[in-house]
Amino acid sequence: MEYEDFIALIERSVKENWDHDALTDYEGATLQYKDVARKIEKLHILFENAGVEPGDRVAFYGRNTSQWAVGFLAVMTYGAVAVPILHEFKAEQAHNIINHSEARLLFVGDQAWPGIVPDEIPLVEGIISNVDYSLLLSRSERLTEARENLNALYGQKYPKFFRREHVSYRPQPDGEAMAIINYTSGTSGAPKGVMIPYRAIWSNAKLGLDLLPSIFSPGHRVVAMLPAAHMYGLMFEFLCEFVSGMHVYYLTRVPSPRVIFKAFGEVKPHMVIAVPLIIEKILRKSVLPRLESISMKMLLRLPVVQQRILDRVRQQLMEAFGGNVYEIIVGGAAFNADIENFLHKTGFPYTVGFGTTETAPLVTYTDWHLFRAGSCGQAAPRMEIKINSANPQIEVGEILVRGANVMLGYYRNPEATAAVLDAQGWYHTGDLGLMDLEGNLYIKGRSKNMLLTPNGQNVFPEEVESKMNTLPLVSECIMIQKEDKFYMLIHPDMDEAERLGMNHAALEALMEQNIKDLNLAINKYEQISGFRIYDEEFQKTPKRSIKRYLYANEEV
């Protein structure tokens, strides 16, 4: 298959959108495409005079900001390999990734910088501030000299100002060449460095440009909430938008519901990329409680009135997201079935995709008009999917994927690569699912999460947890197994419990009743034998998946 030059797409977008807004730090400064181009050029001059070579690794560690994005583009268009590090990672993890990737330079945010211990990253020749590109540390005379004389070098190269016609980026290497090393956050262990080739980045971006031209168009807007160092946010809240001439707003802070919806109201984005947790919190706190009264339940039984109520709910949800969205793409974790069914009834424009870091990230996508509720859509362009079972429609099996989006492997980890990439090019995702005759994919859970009863029954904890999460005051939960019995770890909605004046004994009683109600709704072999309440939220990955492995051996 022929692949376009992704770097050429960046160059074209910069030239065509020269005077358009490109990147904004929400409630802060805005960079137009021409500003981005000039900053990229300065960084290229810095790299060249510091002796950085194409293929060298350059790491990024810090929160989402416009300057983070510019630095990332500069590295890509120079031909170096970008190594984004999730800002949620502890400094020790960041040190390990920097060392493992053999990064020569490190761009660091102001909040991340205090945790960095230079002696722990001896291979790094220089540390550059993500705020103003000042040099925080240099172990190279060439780098020090280049940074001190950067303005003079820039002026010498462009004595009559840098203009659109000066933009000329080196072509990308072969489509199979490595562009990014993205370290997985993982819910079950140590991060691995996923080697993302140019073809995978191009293929993911091409999907947006081809299938959603009404969204990915010059001047359209998006609010970037997800970590830019995660492939989901990197690809679909930044790179795809940039090559299509869109305007990206970075929140630059913890995306609390208050901050998010203030931004939505002001920016009025054309698309929202979200994880299920955000959608579920909105519905549980702002919408569903209004529908729980006796009178409202009675009205919802009347078909004509029910539709009017659901239409009103849809309108309120659309307004909450700014009133301008074409669709909301949900991914990154499992969607609660009851919440999704409710959204589907309202006609809300959502779709659910499935992806992994190893597929940069997309495996499936379907436009919301064609999306089948409960599924994760169909195979994305240039991707194949198969279920590793005798009857994929009814027999759960591991989801295998193959195609343009699939990684090269794990950096400096051939054993881990061999464990998931087979000789035919199929990537073994570790996720379990079914696929109907139309090609719609249905996720059942992670193979490593699957529990087994003494009589050999497979239990998918995500399905049981989804039911538990719909019960009163349950915020989140984890199903675990102790010998031949199942237990539930529960984090209640503590704010709501406090508002209702419930003490610990009352909360225990409510959860005990919830377990009884749950057991009536699930199979006998899935029955929950006990529970434990957690006052604090469970620890999560940046894409808001619970780190289940931390709780597998908890006492109940």
Side-chain angles (χ1 to χ4, degrees):
M1 180 180 291
E2 293 294 324
Y3 301 107
E4 293 181 56
D5 186 332
F6 183 75
I7 302 304
L9 294 182
I10 296 175
E11 180 178 322
R12 184 183 71 188
S13 182
V14 167
K15 291 177 176 178
E16 292 180 353
N17 301 289
W18 190 252
D19 294 312
H20 294 173
D21 292 340
L23 305 169
T24 293
D25 290 332
Y26 178 59
E27 297 183 335
T30 292
L31 299 176
Q32 294 188 317
Y33 278 82
K34 60 188 175 187
D35 302 319
V36 173
R38 288 166 183 151
K39 287 176 179 288
I40 287 174
E41 188 61 26
K42 274 197 171 184
L43 287 171
H44 282 184
I45 292 171
L46 177 67
F47 296 157
E48 184 177 355
N49 285 274
V52 176
E53 301 287 343
D56 284 345
R57 270 75 65 203
V58 179
F60 294 81
Y61 180 41
R63 290 187 182 276
N64 297 4
T65 65
S66 296
Q67 303 289 33
W68 187 104
V70 170
F72 193 92
L73 290 170
V75 167
M76 286 200 74
T77 52
Y78 188 76
V81 176
V83 184
I85 301 171
L86 290 157
H87 73 267
E88 290 92 344
F89 278 169
K90 303 292 186 186
E92 182 181 357
Q93 289 176 288
H95 294 153
N96 291 338
I97 290 171
I98 293 163
N99 291 332
H100 186 264
S101 66
E102 303 166 305
R104 284 188 65 182
L105 295 179
L106 168 65
F107 283 76
V108 67
D110 54 350
Q111 292 173 312
W113 168 234
I116 292 294
V117 181
D119 287 347
E120 296 293 325
I121 46 175
L123 297 178
V124 170
E125 295 176 16
I127 300 178
I128 300 168
S129 167
N130 244 347
V131 177
D132 57 7
Y133 304 134
S134 60
L135 204 53
L136 300 173
L137 172 77
S138 177
R139 295 176 173 137
S140 160
E141 289 185 13
R142 289 186 67 181
L143 175 61
T144 301
E145 184 177 347
R147 184 62 187 90
E148 288 177 350
N149 297 292
L150 184 56
N151 288 334
L153 292 167
Y154 181 75
Q156 290 168 15
K157 189 172 183 179
Y158 303 103
K160 295 184 179 179
F161 209 53
F162 183 82
R163 298 184 297 277
R164 189 188 325 227
E165 56 267 27
H166 291 136
V167 176
S168 179
Y169 302 138
R170 70 180 74 208
Q172 73 175 34
D174 182 279
E176 294 297 316
M178 179 170 62
I180 297 169
I181 306 177
N182 197 218
Y183 283 78
T184 62
S185 54
T187 56
S188 59
K192 297 187 289 288
V194 179
M195 296 187 289
I196 305 293
Y198 282 97
R199 62 160 161 78
I201 301 169
W202 170 82
S203 180
N204 273 274
K206 183 72 170 170
L207 178 144
L209 296 172
D210 286 352
L211 299 187
L212 293 168
S214 60
I215 295 176
F216 293 103
S217 296
H220 283 191
R221 299 171 299 279
V222 69
V223 175
M225 301 180 288
L226 303 176
H230 191 282
M231 278 310 303
Y232 189 24
L234 179 65
M235 195 70 243
F236 289 105
E237 288 185 336
F238 170 34
L239 292 179
C240 199
E241 281 79 359
F242 194 86
V243 298
S244 58
M246 288 180 69
H247 184 183
V248 179
Y249 288 77
Y250 285 111
L251 289 181
T252 73
R253 68 200 77 175
V254 177
S256 68
R258 183 187 64 79
V259 170
I260 289 171
F261 289 105
K262 182 174 182 290
F264 285 159
E266 295 174 3
V267 175
K268 301 188 183 307
H270 292 78
M271 174 186 67
V272 170
I273 301 292
V275 293
L277 192 67
I278 293 173
I279 310 293
E280 291 170 11
K281 280 190 173 181
I282 297 164
L283 286 172
R284 285 190 177 131
K285 287 192 174 290
S286 305
V287 178
L288 296 180
R290 303 176 193 171
L291 306 179
E292 292 298 317
S293 67
I294 294 175
S295 58
M296 188 61 76
K297 286 181 176 179
M298 291 178 64
L299 289 172
L300 284 169
R301 292 195 185 103
L302 304 174
V304 176
V305 179
Q306 180 193 63
Q307 193 55 54
R308 288 178 183 170
I309 293 171
L310 293 176
D311 287 345
R312 177 59 182 157
V313 169
R314 181 186 188 277
Q315 182 181 348
Q316 290 174 341
L317 284 170
M318 291 294 287
E319 290 170 357
F321 286 98
N324 204 32
V325 295
Y326 170 77
E327 73 179 4
I328 293 177
I329 302 176
V330 181
F335 213 169
N336 179 276
D338 289 344
I339 295 290
E340 185 180 357
N341 288 336
F342 179 78
L343 280 179
H344 188 67
K345 284 182 182 178
T346 68
F348 186 69
Y350 81 97
T351 185
V352 178
F354 167 62
T356 68
T357 302
E358 288 84 351
T359 54
L362 218 56
V363 173
T364 63
Y365 167 81
T366 301
D367 183 279
W368 77 272
H369 291 96
L370 304 174
F371 175 70
R372 183 77 57 83
S375 79
C376 292
Q378 300 176 357
R382 298 167 293 279
M383 291 294 286
E384 301 175 71
I385 303 173
K386 70 176 180 180
I387 305 298
N388 195 15
S389 75
N391 191 338
Q393 287 84 49
I394 59 173
E395 184 181 329
V396 172
E398 185 179 11
I399 301 167
L400 311 185
V401 301
R402 181 170 66 180
N405 298 8
V406 174
M407 67 173 179
L408 298 169
Y410 297 116
Y411 188 63
R412 297 173 58 197
N413 197 340
E415 295 82 8
T417 300
V420 298
L421 279 178
D422 66 27
Q424 288 73 46
W426 290 100
Y427 166 56
H428 295 241
T429 66
D431 291 294
L432 301 170
L434 302 169
M435 190 160 61
D436 65 23
L437 293 174
E438 286 79 41
N440 295 296
L441 181 67
Y442 298 82
I443 306 293
K444 305 305 289 184
R446 290 285 293 169
S447 59
K448 63 184 65 175
N449 296 342
M450 189 180 72
L451 306 174
L452 195 66
T453 67
N455 61 359
Q457 286 280 6
N458 293 333
V459 174
F460 303 104
E462 294 92 343
E463 293 186 349
V464 179
E465 292 160 1
S466 180
K467 291 181 171 64
M468 183 72 193
N469 283 332
T470 64
L471 297 174
L473 292 193
V474 177
S475 180
E476 55 188 14
C477 62
I478 308 172
M479 182 179 180
I480 64 172
Q481 186 172 18
K482 296 288 183 181
E483 296 179 349
D484 61 347
K485 293 184 177 180
F486 299 124
Y487 299 88
M488 196 68 78
L489 311 179
I490 306 167
H491 170 57
D493 186 334
M494 302 305 290
D495 291 339
E496 185 65 11
E498 183 178 349
R499 189 186 70 80
L500 295 172
M502 298 181 71
N503 59 24
H504 188 76
L507 202 52
E508 284 267 357
L510 175 61
M511 294 304 153
E512 187 170 348
Q513 183 59 49
N514 283 344
I515 294 295
K516 291 178 181 178
D517 294 340
L518 174 68
N519 282 337
L520 292 174
I522 60 179
N523 297 308
K524 288 190 178 298
Y525 59 81
E526 297 171 319
Q527 297 292 293
I528 305 299
S529 298
F531 68 94
R532 175 180 166 187
I533 289 178
Y534 280 73
D535 292 340
E536 303 294 328
E537 278 193 27
F538 298 119
Q539 292 189 47
K540 298 180 181 67
T541 70
K543 68 175 184 178
R544 305 300 292 169
S545 298
I546 294 171
K547 295 182 177 179
R548 311 177 72 95
Y549 65 95
L550 296 178
Y551 303 94
N553 298 312
E554 291 291 275
E555 294 297 325
V556 182

